Amino acid sequence: MRVNGIVEQVLGNAMFRVKIDNSEHMVLAYIGGKLRKNDIKVIAGDKVVMEFSPYDLSKGRIMYRN
């Protein structure tokens, strides 16, 4: 499942707090492999596309930075 969100807070170890669009939920997200491999920086205020596991909706992986 993929959703759009906005990075609210940058944490250590490439972890982020992301607010999901059209919702008040905040989730913990980490950077996906291609973003990390290509050294793409994500900062607070960036719009991102995240991917979730159907088993744990409180954690996600950032797939794209818009």
Side-chain angles (χ1 to χ4, degrees):
M1 175 170 76
R2 291 191 179 187
V3 296
N4 295 327
I6 297 176
V7 175
E8 293 288 326
Q9 183 180 12
V10 179
L11 306 171
N13 279 347
M15 301 288 283
F16 303 92
R17 290 235 183 260
V18 179
K19 181 177 178 235
I20 298 174
D21 285 351
N22 302 326
S23 176
E24 293 298 318
H25 293 289
M26 298 283 285
V27 296
L28 187 65
Y30 64 93
I31 294 181
K34 292 288 184 176
L35 290 174
R36 190 175 295 214
K37 179 182 174 185
N38 293 319
D39 201 30
I40 295 173
K41 304 296 182 199
V42 177
I43 59 173
D46 282 348
K47 293 183 180 182
V48 294
V49 176
M50 294 189 331
E51 188 175 73
F52 286 106
S53 166
Y55 302 110
D56 187 8
L57 297 177
S58 66
K59 296 179 183 172
R61 174 175 49 222
I62 297 174
M63 300 303 294
Y64 299 107
R65 187 186 120 220
N66 295 335

